[in-house]
Amino acid sequence: NAGVTQTPKFQVLKTGQSMTLQCAQDMNHEYMSWYRQDPGMGLRLIHYSVGAGITDQGEVPNGYNVSRSTTEDFPLRLLSAAPSQTSVYFCASSYSHRASSSYEQYFGPGTRLTVT
Amino acid sequence: AQSVTQLGSHVSVSEGALVLLRCNYSSSVPPYLFWYVQYPNQGLQLLLKYTSAATLVKGINGFEAEFKKSETSFHLTKPSAHMSDAAEYFCAVSPRGGSEKLVFGKGTKLTVNP
């Protein structure tokens, strides 16, 4: 299994541009989440999904959109990039509590985004 | 709302010394608790987890943590630090039945001196 994969690894955007960060998992996990990591802030939840067609906001959702059309994929869209969105973005997935007693999230390698 | 406090953003120990990284949580009911490790320019790797079985949890690389409900703590320890333990460590909490939403502490960067 490849686990959780993210593309691209690095991206530089200009203010106002839009882009999509890709995330895919091959573990048949129901749950998927997006976090951003900033120095001294830990990881903060942006959006999450508990299954195909179901998404919800996390702690810092503004400026980001998500959709979940398949179990495997959970893309994160930046609508109009701002310098405040410069960060490292991590995608994670996990089993639902009904499917497994595993509970932990599995993380992708991250995407480092710079907005100038 | 749940929250996690990690005391000490930077901890420095000598090789062979005890490692103690502190984590306190706030939750109305006992949650699930996790420690993750992040090596430079990498993703997060699970070290260990508490999900209401034994209160003393053993993880990978010789780390362990003890869940203390009375102190709302889940401190991470390792008896003897190794140079390869240098990394950033994150404590995280999730509600029972809610593994899609982790709340992370701000992290503790561990330096191991020769």
Side-chain angles (χ1 to χ4, degrees), chain B residues 14-62:
Chain B
S14 299
E15 193 173 19
L18 171 73
V19 176
L20 171 61
L21 304 183
R22 298 178 188 274
C23 172
N24 288 88
Y25 69 90
S26 169
S27 177
S28 56
V29 295
Y32 296 147
L33 293 157
F34 307 86
W35 276 100
Y36 282 87
V37 61
Q38 184 181 35
Y39 298 103
N41 300 314
Q42 293 190 25
L44 277 74
Q45 179 183 3
L46 181 71
L47 270 181
L48 49 80
K49 62 185 178 184
Y50 168 75
T51 56
S52 81
T55 56
L56 182 61
V57 180
K58 294 189 185 300
I60 61 171
N61 301 339

Side-chain angles (χ1 to χ4, degrees), chain B residues 67-111:
Chain B
F67 172 69
K68 291 188 176 180
K69 183 179 175 182
S70 60
E71 298 177 9
T72 59
S73 69
F74 191 56
H75 302 329
L76 182 71
T77 60
K78 181 174 180 178
S80 176
H82 192 272
M83 297 294 289
S84 60
D85 295 326
E88 190 156 20
Y89 293 80
F90 293 95
C91 183
V93 62
S94 77
R96 288 170 182 270
S99 59
E100 73 281 8
K101 290 182 288 185
L102 287 180
V103 175
F104 283 86
K106 295 186 177 182
T108 297
K109 193 163 190 176
L110 176 67
T111 301

